[in-house]
Amino acid sequence: MVLAQEKFPSHPVRIIVPLPAGGVADAATRWLTQTMQPTFGQPLIVDNKPGGSFVVGMGALSSAPADGYTVIHVNSAFLSAQALFSKFDVFKQLVPIAGLGETDETMCMSQNPNFKNAKELIAYGRANPGKLSYVTPGYGTLEHLAAYNFCKLNGINAVAIPMKGGPDAARALIQGEGDFGVVPLPLISQFANTGKLIPLFVLNTKRNPTLPDLPTYDEAGVKATRCTIWGGLCAPAGTPAVALAYLQKTVLEAAGNPVLQRKMVGAGMVPAAMAPEVFAKMMHDDYEWIAKAIKDADIKIS
C-alpha cells in the first residue's frame, strides 16, 4: 500500500533569523511573512536566534527535522563567519530557497586636504606607504575585507583600524580617526547632515537608486571587489522536493510584491528577488573572494 504524501504546508513554518530583533534582516523577514501570509495557508513564525557568529541560529536549524517547516534567513556575513571559524558549511548544510534583496556598500572618506576623490586618495596612498588608514566595523567583517581588497588592487599600503560596529566606524570617519572605509549605504543617510562623511563610489556594478549620482567603482575609474550585504532564505539540506518547491515559489512571488519592495527601498535595500540557482551562484562567488581575502590578509580570530 502506498501512503499519500502529506500536503505541504500542513502546520506552521518557522523562519530562524540568526540576528537580534529590530535590525534590517529581521524587518525584511517580517515584511516577507506579512506578504506571504494571506496565501500561504499556515502561520509563518519569525524566531530570532542571535549569537555566536550565526552558530546559534545554525544550531537551531540543525536540531529541527529537514522537512521544510524550519528554514533560516542568511546574509553575506555568513560567508565571512564560515571562512573565519569553520563552525558550519552553508554549501553542505543549506539549500537556497530564494534571495530577497541587497544593501549596497559604499567607499567613503573623511575630509582631508591631501585628496578630494578616489583617484587622488589612491595616488596619495601609493606615494605615502603606511600613512593612510581605513576604519572597519571589526576584523574579518565584509567592510574590512572589501577595504583590504581595494588597497591590494590599487597598490596601497594602509593600516586597518577596527571599531565596534558600522555606526562607530562611520563616526570615526566623521571625526577624522581614519582616512577612508567601507560603509553600508543606510549609514550614509544617517550621517549625511554632518557633511564630513564623503561617499566616493558604490561597491557594485550598477548605481543605487537612493544615491543615483554616486558612481560605481568602474565609473570612478578604480579597482574594487563587488560587495553587497544580501539576504535570503535557505532550507536545510535534505528538505523534501515538494516542500522546497512550494517554499521557493511562494517566497519568490512575495519578494516581487511592489508593497514589500517599497518597504525594502525605504530601509535602504535594493529589492532583488533571486531564483535559487541565481542565489546559489552569488553565494559561491562571494565566498570565493571573501575566503581569499581572509587568507591573504592572514586574519585569524579565535
Side-chain angles (χ1 to χ4, degrees), residues 12 29 169 228 280 289 294:
T29 304
T228 66
W289 80 259
I294 288 172

XYZ file of all heavy atoms in Angstrom, residues 12 29 169 228 280 289 294:
53
model
N 2.393 25.214 11.002
C 3.209 26.436 10.919
C 4.650 26.195 10.474
O 5.247 25.160 10.754
C 3.154 26.979 12.347
C 1.867 26.467 12.891
C 1.710 25.089 12.300
N 12.518 40.094 6.949
C 11.883 38.785 7.103
C 10.435 38.935 7.551
O 9.536 38.229 7.059
C 12.654 37.926 8.119
O 14.022 37.830 7.698
C 12.074 36.528 8.201
N 32.256 52.945 13.098
C 33.206 53.150 12.002
C 32.866 54.425 11.235
O 33.760 55.198 10.866
C 33.193 51.942 11.072
N 28.150 43.517 -1.554
C 26.853 43.960 -1.067
C 26.466 43.121 0.144
O 26.985 42.032 0.348
C 25.746 43.818 -2.130
O 25.532 42.420 -2.401
C 26.097 44.536 -3.419
N 22.281 30.860 -5.307
C 23.372 29.922 -5.019
C 24.672 30.366 -5.677
O 25.748 30.318 -5.052
C 22.996 28.520 -5.487
N 35.791 35.181 -3.057
C 36.633 36.358 -2.791
C 36.796 36.616 -1.293
O 37.867 37.062 -0.850
C 36.120 37.595 -3.524
C 34.958 38.342 -2.924
C 33.663 38.281 -3.297
C 34.999 39.305 -1.843
N 32.885 39.121 -2.537
C 33.682 39.765 -1.639
C 36.022 39.807 -1.036
C 33.351 40.707 -0.657
C 35.693 40.747 -0.058
C 34.389 41.189 0.122
N 40.493 36.791 3.370
C 40.828 36.404 4.746
C 42.175 35.700 4.779
O 43.006 35.951 5.666
C 39.722 35.511 5.340
C 38.479 36.355 5.636
C 40.191 34.798 6.594
C 37.269 35.550 6.051
